[in-house]
């Protein structure tokens, strides 16, 4: 057998061995439903900014792309590199990208790992930052890119990637690289907007750290946006009440906690927080009733179960 043929067989055998050790789940794109009436069959967000990516700088470039799209004009790859680029890793971690997004006063919403959600965000005009593995699971080459569109007829995906302003990949090729990045995808929105695919739990999970970091303005705006979209979810009112309480606006805090009680009367945290806001307003009897309700709802809870005693101790110090 000619040497050239032997070499081809050896490479084929190596490929099979590598593939056997790295079996993956079925791809999602073959199961995608065709566009519904009125849905775009092709989307290209051509106004999305483009920053050619130098070596190992795909994280800052991709994040600058989506931040600028969301209205953060000062977001540039060079500025972001100071925040998120890790020289020891020659790259950026997802946690760093998420943290930098919050520092910019934006909401970092991590999508559910579903191809259809990617398409829905693009149809809504939201470019999507994705993590890809451009090589193999055993020897990964991690890469961030920004998806800016798709074509359902030719089954292509369009990206801002590397030095390519409009990279075109087949659905198969793109999803395979995205799948090896665990389908991680990020949409960045101003606090006054929600992503097209947002659910209350995932969106609020993205907003809560803004409150924890005392970024009161974007956090409050995010909570108000969530309350408007999901008015029956008490977490938004609890968040708004917490911010008002921390900034010593006890009238607003009590109003928000009352709204939380209204939509979720069985939630002990709503009654407990209301009790403290009322206490600071000098409405002692109402505060006692609220603390007693919290304790009755969760008598075994380490905090709510001691609500009455804790509040009485605080009231005696006033």
């Amino acid at each position: 057998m000619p040497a050239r043929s032997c070499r081809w067989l050896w490479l084929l055998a190596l490929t099979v061995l590598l593939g056997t050790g790295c079996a993956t789940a079925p791809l999602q794109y073959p199961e995608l439903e065709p566009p519904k009436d009125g849905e775009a069959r092709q989307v290209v967000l051509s106004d999305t900014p483009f920053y050619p990516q130098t070596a190992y700088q795909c994280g800052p470039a991709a994040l600058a792309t989506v931040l600028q799209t969301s209205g953060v004009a000062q977001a540039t790859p060079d500025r972001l590199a100071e925040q998120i680029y890790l020289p020891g890793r020659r790259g950026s971690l997802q946690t760093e990208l998420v943290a930098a997004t919050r520092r910019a006063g934006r909401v970092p919403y991590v999508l559910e790992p579903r191809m259809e959600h990617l398409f829905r965000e693009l149809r809504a005009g939201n470019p999507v930052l994705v993590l890809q593995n451009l090589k193999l699971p055993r020897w990964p080459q991690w890469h961030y890119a920004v998806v800016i569109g798709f074509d359902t007829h030719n089954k292509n995906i369009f990206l801002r990637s590397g030095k390519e302003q409009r990279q075109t990949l087949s659905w198969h090729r793109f999803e395979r690289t995205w799948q090896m990045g665990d389908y991680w995808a990020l949409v960045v929105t101003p606090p006054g907007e929600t992503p097209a695919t947002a659910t209350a739990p995932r969106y609020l999970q993205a907003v809560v750290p803004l409150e924890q970091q005392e970024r009161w303005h974007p956090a409050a705006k995010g909570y108000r946006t969530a309350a408007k979209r999901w008015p029956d979810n008490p977490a938004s009112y609890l968040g708004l009440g917490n911010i008002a309480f921390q900034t010593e606006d006890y009238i607003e805090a009590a109003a928000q906690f009352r709204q939380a009680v209204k939509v979720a009367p069985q939630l002990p945290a709503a009654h407990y927080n209301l009790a403290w806001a009322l206490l600071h307003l000098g409405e002692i009897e109402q505060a006692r009733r609220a603390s007693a309700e919290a304790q009755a709802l969760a008598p075994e809870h380490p905090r709510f179960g001691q609500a009455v005693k804790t509040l009485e101790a605080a009231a005696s110090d006033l």
Side-chain angles (χ1 to χ4, degrees), residues 11-34:
L11 288 173
L12 177 61
L14 178 60
T15 302
V16 170
L17 285 172
L18 291 175
T20 301
C22 305
T24 54
L27 296 178
Q28 298 177 19
Y29 79 85
E31 303 301 322
L32 287 174
E33 295 183 1

Side-chain angles (χ1 to χ4, degrees), residues 240-241 243-255 277 281:
L240 288 167
I243 291 172
F245 190 93
Q246 291 297 327
T247 54
E248 300 184 359
D249 185 350
Y250 301 119
I251 294 176
E252 175 65 12
L281 289 172

